[in-house]
Amino acid sequence: MRMFKIWVLLSVLSGTYNVYAGEAQPMEDPAIEDRFKKLTLELRCLKCQNQTIYDSKAGLAEDLRTQIRDQIHQGKSDQDIVDYMVARYGNFVRYRPPMTVATFMLWVGPFLLFGVGIGMLIYQMRKRRQLVKDAPLDAQQQQRAQSILRGEK
């Protein structure tokens, strides 16, 4: 009975690996593979968002890789494929979106915020320097300071 349980456990565990295995792609012409790799490295996985389609293991990324491979076999140019993806999923699918009116603040915003922060820092430092004057005490102020230090009023 114990051996039967072990056998069932091993059978179940070994069967789960088949579920997660992806579909193997046949090796193609090296030029097509280079083109495929270049395209999939330029496009973002819409599910993972911080990975390229090439690196992602998500099911959606697998579907997008299949679409790209099919379009390459149909003879479409790289620009046609990217345009198709952008038309379908928006500029977000690109890792390096073009500078447009809509994406202008994404490109320029961090530099503007950095510049505003530096400007505010300089302004505050100058303002503080004007408030804190390091002038020597006159005779009356020195006498008053000495009396305070001695504990007199």
Side-chain angles (χ1 to χ4, degrees):
M1 183 69 171
R2 185 174 181 187
M3 287 300 284
F4 178 73
K5 288 180 182 180
I6 292 173
W7 180 79
V8 169
L9 180 66
L10 287 175
S11 298
V12 169
L13 290 177
S14 66
T16 58
Y17 290 112
N18 293 333
V19 173
Y20 294 111
E23 184 177 323
Q25 296 290 333
M27 290 301 289
E28 297 188 42
D29 179 24
I32 291 175
E33 284 299 317
D34 288 343
R35 211 175 135 204
F36 173 77
K37 185 175 181 179
K38 179 182 165 252
L39 279 168
T40 55
L41 285 172
E42 286 180 16
L43 300 172
R44 178 190 318 270
C45 175
L46 299 168
K47 185 173 182 183
C48 305
Q49 296 183 5
N50 62 346
Q51 287 184 320
T52 62
I53 292 173
Y54 184 80
D55 296 324
S56 177
K57 302 294 184 217
L60 178 62
E62 181 65 35
D63 292 342
L64 294 175
R65 285 192 294 266
T66 303
Q67 279 184 350
I68 291 171
R69 195 175 294 277
D70 291 344
Q71 290 184 21
I72 288 173
H73 287 297
Q74 292 171 8
K76 293 189 178 181
S77 70
D78 291 357
Q79 190 59 45
D80 290 339
I81 296 170
V82 170
D83 290 344
Y84 170 79
M85 292 293 183
V86 168
R88 191 161 184 188
Y89 302 108
N91 270 328
F92 183 75
V93 77
R94 291 181 170 190
Y95 245 108
R96 286 177 247 118
M99 187 178 297
T100 63
V101 174
T103 61
F104 178 76
M105 284 308 291
L106 292 174
W107 287 99
V108 179
F111 299 109
L112 287 175
L113 286 174
F114 182 73
V116 167
I118 293 294
M120 288 176 61
L121 179 66
I122 291 171
Y123 172 76
Q124 290 295 327
M125 289 174 65
R126 286 184 180 170
K127 184 177 170 184
R128 184 176 178 182
R129 190 177 300 152
Q130 290 173 356
L131 292 175
V132 179
K133 296 181 180 174
D134 196 16
L137 299 176
D138 61 14
Q140 184 182 7
Q141 291 173 334
Q142 279 185 338
Q143 284 178 352
R144 185 162 186 265
Q146 290 297 327
S147 67
I148 291 173
L149 287 174
R150 285 185 292 228
E152 300 172 2
K153 283 193 174 184

